[in-house]
Amino acid sequence: MAVYTHVSAEALGDFLTRYDVGDLVSAKGIAEGVENSNYMVDTTQGRFFLTLYEKRVAAGDLPFFIALLDHLSAKGCLVPRMLPDRAGVAIQTLEERPACLIEFLPGVSLSHPTPAQAHAAGAALAEMHVALADFDRGRENDFAPHALAAFAAREGFDFEAIRPGLNARVADEIYAIAAIDATLPAGIVHGDLFPDNVLMIGDHVTGLIDFYFAARGMLAWDLAVMHGAWAFDVSGAAYDGAAGDALIAGYESVRPLSGAERAAMPLLARSGALRFLLTRAWDWLYTPSDALVTRKDPIAYLNRLDFYAANPGIFA
C-alpha cells in the first residue's frame, strides 16, 4: 500500500455518499507498499479501506479481482470484498483514478512471524489454492518465471546502478530458471503473500489481503514466493529454517506437494527471489520523489537469491 494520489476530505466525503456506510469521520493515508494509493477510512458505521488504482494495476483487471474475492468469500476464505455502492457498482472513479471501497478485516500484520504463525499462513495459502480450483477466470502472470526475462530487459533498466556486476548475475539467474518444469500443477496464485498481506490474531489467520498480483501460475511457485517472504529477516541475510519448514508443513497439511513440485522448489524459490529483486530495483530507481511510499531495498532479495542458490537442500 502507498499514497501517490491525495484525496481531500471533501472529495472523500462526497464519494462515501454513494454507499450505505455512514458519514466520514477520519481518513489516513497508508505509506507501506508500492502499488496503489490507499487510505484507512473511518465512518460513523465502521472502518473501511479505500484504494485508488495506479501503476501496475490496470482498470481492466479490476473485474477479475472482484470476481476472485467474491469467489473466495463464498468458499469461506477470509478475504476483503470490494463493496458495491447502492447501485451495485464496485468500481468507482475518484480523483481521476479507478477506486474501490473495501471491507476491513480484523487482525495485524506480523514483522517477525513465529513457526506456528508461518504454519497457519502456509495452510491458508493452500486453502486458497483449493478454493480456487473451480474458479473459471484467468489472468496472465506478468512475473512468472518465464516472464522475468522480458521484465529485466525493459528500457532504462540498469542493474549496475543498484550494484556493480548485477547485470551479469541477473542474466545468469534468468538462464537457470528456464529449466523450471512448465507442466507443474497450476491455478490462480496470490503472488505476493508477504507477512504484511496476512492478517493474524495470535496464531490464527484472520484475513488474506492485497490480491493485485493474483494470476494464473504454478501453485508451488506461489508457495516458494511466500517462503522467501516468511523465512528471512528484512535484510534477507538471516534464514529462519524453523519458520520456512513450518510454512511448507502448513501448506502440505492441506495440499501435499507432488514429487515434481518438491524437486522444483529450489529453482522456484530462486525465481521468486529474482522476481522481487527486479521489481524492487525498478521501484528503487523510478519511484517519484514526492510519493508517500516506502521503497524497499532490492539487495534484500539478492541476499535471498544467493542463499537459495547455495542451499538447494533446504527443500529436500
Side-chain angles (χ1 to χ4, degrees):
M1 297 182 178
V3 175
Y4 296 92
T5 299
H6 294 274
V7 180
S8 69
E10 294 79 6
L12 180 52
D14 181 65
F15 175 85
L16 292 175
T17 63
R18 306 173 196 176
Y19 299 84
D20 291 317
V21 296
D23 298 324
L24 177 65
V25 173
S26 66
K28 179 181 179 182
I30 302 171
E32 290 79 8
V34 295
E35 293 304 318
N36 307 306
S37 293
N38 291 274
Y39 293 83
M40 183 176 290
V41 177
D42 286 298
T43 76
T44 52
Q45 293 186 19
R47 173 168 285 180
F48 306 88
F49 282 110
L50 169 69
T51 296
L52 284 72
Y53 296 96
E54 319 205 37
K55 297 188 71 178
R56 299 190 188 107
V57 178
D61 285 333
L62 291 178
F64 168 83
F65 298 132
I66 292 170
L68 174 68
L69 293 169
D70 285 346
H71 183 94
L72 286 171
S73 181
K75 293 276 187 169
C77 294
L78 299 173
V79 297
R81 295 178 304 123
M82 298 175 177
L83 299 174
D85 66 7
R86 292 190 192 91
V89 177
I91 305 170
Q92 309 285 344
T93 300
L94 180 61
E95 301 293 352
E96 301 181 348
R97 301 286 192 275
C100 289
L101 192 67
I102 300 171
E103 283 181 320
F104 174 82
L105 297 179
V108 296
S109 297
L110 306 170
S111 299
H112 305 286
T114 66
Q117 291 164 336
H119 188 282
L125 177 69
E127 289 165 359
M128 186 203 84
H129 286 166
V130 171
L132 289 171
D134 60 346
F135 185 63
D136 60 3
R137 297 198 185 195
R139 178 174 177 267
E140 186 175 354
N141 186 354
D142 293 334
F143 301 105
H146 70 272
L148 295 181
F151 188 85
R154 296 176 75 175
E155 184 177 356
F157 211 161
D158 182 12
F159 300 104
E160 301 300 298
I162 302 294
R163 174 172 288 185
L166 194 53
N167 277 335
R169 178 63 192 282
V170 168
D172 288 344
E173 288 297 324
I174 287 173
Y175 177 80
I177 65 176
I180 292 173
D181 181 359
T183 67
L184 292 174
I188 299 298
V189 299
H190 184 285
D192 192 35
L193 206 55
F194 279 55
D196 60 358
N197 287 334
V198 178
L199 302 177
M200 303 194 77
I201 296 177
D203 294 339
H204 302 284
V205 174
T206 58
L208 305 182
I209 63 174
D210 279 7
F211 280 79
Y212 301 115
F213 289 112
R216 187 157 296 278
M218 292 175 283
L219 303 182
W221 172 85
D222 209 14
L223 178 59
V225 165
M226 195 175 179
H227 187 273
W230 286 72
F232 293 84
D233 69 352
V234 173
S235 73
Y239 176 62
D240 184 346
D245 291 346
L247 178 79
I248 294 174
Y251 184 90
E252 290 201 287
S253 71
V254 176
R255 180 189 172 270
L257 295 171
S258 69
E261 287 176 309
R262 175 72 67 170
M265 283 297 288
L267 280 181
L268 291 171
R270 286 167 69 177
S271 73
L274 181 62
R275 172 259 191 269
F276 285 98
L277 169 60
L278 295 180
T279 54
R280 285 187 176 194
W282 183 268
D283 292 330
W284 192 265
L285 295 171
Y286 294 110
T287 294
S289 59
D290 60 347
L292 176 57
V293 59
T294 303
R295 294 188 306 170
K296 296 180 179 179
D297 184 5
I299 298 304
Y301 264 88
L302 178 60
N303 292 337
R304 289 167 169 84
L305 186 57
D306 289 340
F307 179 86
Y308 285 136
N311 297 278
I314 63 171
F315 296 108

